[in-house]
Amino acid sequence: MGLMDMFGKKSPLVDCDKLLSNVAGKLSAQPLMSADGDFSAMFVPDNKQALVNRNNVPNPNGAMELKVKVDAKYKQAFSDAVQAFADQPVFTSGVLINDDSKGSRAEIHPLDMLYAPLPPARYPSWFKDIQANLKDPNSVLVYRIVAVSDASKSNKPPKAEETRTLHTTFPYPPKPNFPKIKIDFEIRKVVNWKTDFALNDDRMKQRIELDLSVESGKGDGPGVFVGDFVAYWGNE
């Protein structure tokens, strides 16, 4: 069933009681950000099952919309960060809904997180200084991460008032053939408002785990996170 807004009108957004996590794909068009902070992007998932609605009908255009309202104070930083995702594989997490105003199309609304590996030309300037001093400057991985809780005041999408912990993993970059090197990693934050995160080095599985929570508007938020994650082989 759809939700009811503050005036008792039935919302066309139908909660599918499902969270999508780390879904791989690509953005198919330039993301949009309104003056009020309404973010929208078209996403083509690798797994087409994500496009199937509750009536077992896939979205006709092979894509799904990602939508969220970003706190107006941080909408520019959020929008600027996503521009680096063009032509890159991206991963997305959020709430799966069906929008009955659009023929019950499957959407992610609200969007919780987007992240993508960056090509060398888009590495942040602060990392280029580190990279220049590495024994193998090409054995690195750089990801940009954006995460957000929905800032809607009314007509809130499903689960918008829940604070969720987002979990993802980043693989080690290939290990170069040099002695006395160790894995190093860090996140540099551009925006870190009403969020909390932790990194864990899983050496058995050769990956770094990230747990990131963004406070909802019902909690202490809405929150926004924008940052860059890097992993590289440094000196012991």
Side-chain angles (χ1 to χ4, degrees):
M1 295 180 64
L3 301 183
M4 304 292 284
D5 69 18
M6 64 185 296
F7 301 107
K9 182 181 178 182
K10 185 177 181 180
S11 168
L13 305 183
V14 178
D15 187 351
C16 296
D17 292 321
K18 185 175 183 180
L19 300 175
L20 298 182
S21 298
N22 306 303
V23 179
K26 280 196 171 184
L27 301 183
S28 64
Q30 186 78 4
L32 302 175
M33 179 74 80
S34 75
D36 293 331
D38 291 307
F39 176 82
S40 173
M42 296 306 297
F43 174 71
V44 180
D46 293 346
N47 183 352
K48 303 308 178 187
Q49 188 61 34
L51 301 172
V52 178
N53 69 7
R54 68 189 189 280
N55 302 316
N56 206 32
V57 177
N59 290 359
N61 58 357
M64 65 194 312
E65 192 171 9
L66 313 178
K67 299 179 71 176
V68 70
K69 191 175 188 69
V70 182
D71 189 306
K73 295 190 295 293
Y74 305 109
K75 65 182 181 65
Q76 192 61 55
F78 189 94
S79 181
D80 289 347
V82 175
Q83 302 310 311
F85 296 167
D87 305 317
Q88 291 299 111
V90 301
F91 301 85
T92 185
S93 298
V95 178
L96 178 66
I97 62 108
N98 288 173
D99 189 342
D100 282 351
S101 71
K102 300 176 183 176
S104 298
R105 290 190 185 187
E107 297 179 352
I108 292 181
H109 188 189
L111 168 70
D112 289 336
M113 178 169 64
L114 268 176
Y115 62 94
L118 299 184
R122 298 178 196 165
Y123 286 176
S125 57
W126 64 265
F127 178 66
K128 291 180 180 179
D129 294 336
I130 296 174
Q131 184 185 22
N133 293 308
L134 298 178
K135 290 181 178 180
D136 186 346
N138 296 313
S139 189
V140 302
L141 287 175
V142 181
Y143 286 81
R144 180 151 297 163
I145 306 164
V146 296
V148 64
S149 59
D150 194 90
S152 300
K153 300 297 184 183
S154 62
N155 299 320
K156 297 179 181 181
K159 297 181 172 64
E161 294 190 328
E162 296 179 7
T163 296
R164 288 178 282 279
T165 298
L166 310 167
H167 180 80
T168 192
T169 60
F170 302 104
Y172 284 7
K175 187 175 183 179
N177 189 23
F178 291 110
K180 296 183 179 181
I181 57 174
K182 65 175 182 177
I183 194 71
D184 276 327
F185 54 91
E186 66 173 297
I187 282 182
R188 290 279 182 99
K189 304 173 292 294
V190 177
V191 176
N192 187 33
W193 178 249
K194 303 299 183 183
T195 72
D196 187 33
F197 71 90
L199 291 170
N200 175 57
D201 182 7
D202 186 339
R203 297 188 179 184
M204 290 291 293
K205 296 183 178 179
Q206 299 280 288
R207 67 187 189 184
I208 297 103
E209 300 176 337
L210 170 67
D211 288 305
L212 172 62
S213 62
V214 185
E215 282 289 336
S216 72
K218 188 175 182 180
D220 206 21
V224 179
F225 181 91
V226 177
D228 294 312
F229 168 85
V230 300
Y232 56 92
W233 293 94
N235 295 330
E236 285 186 348

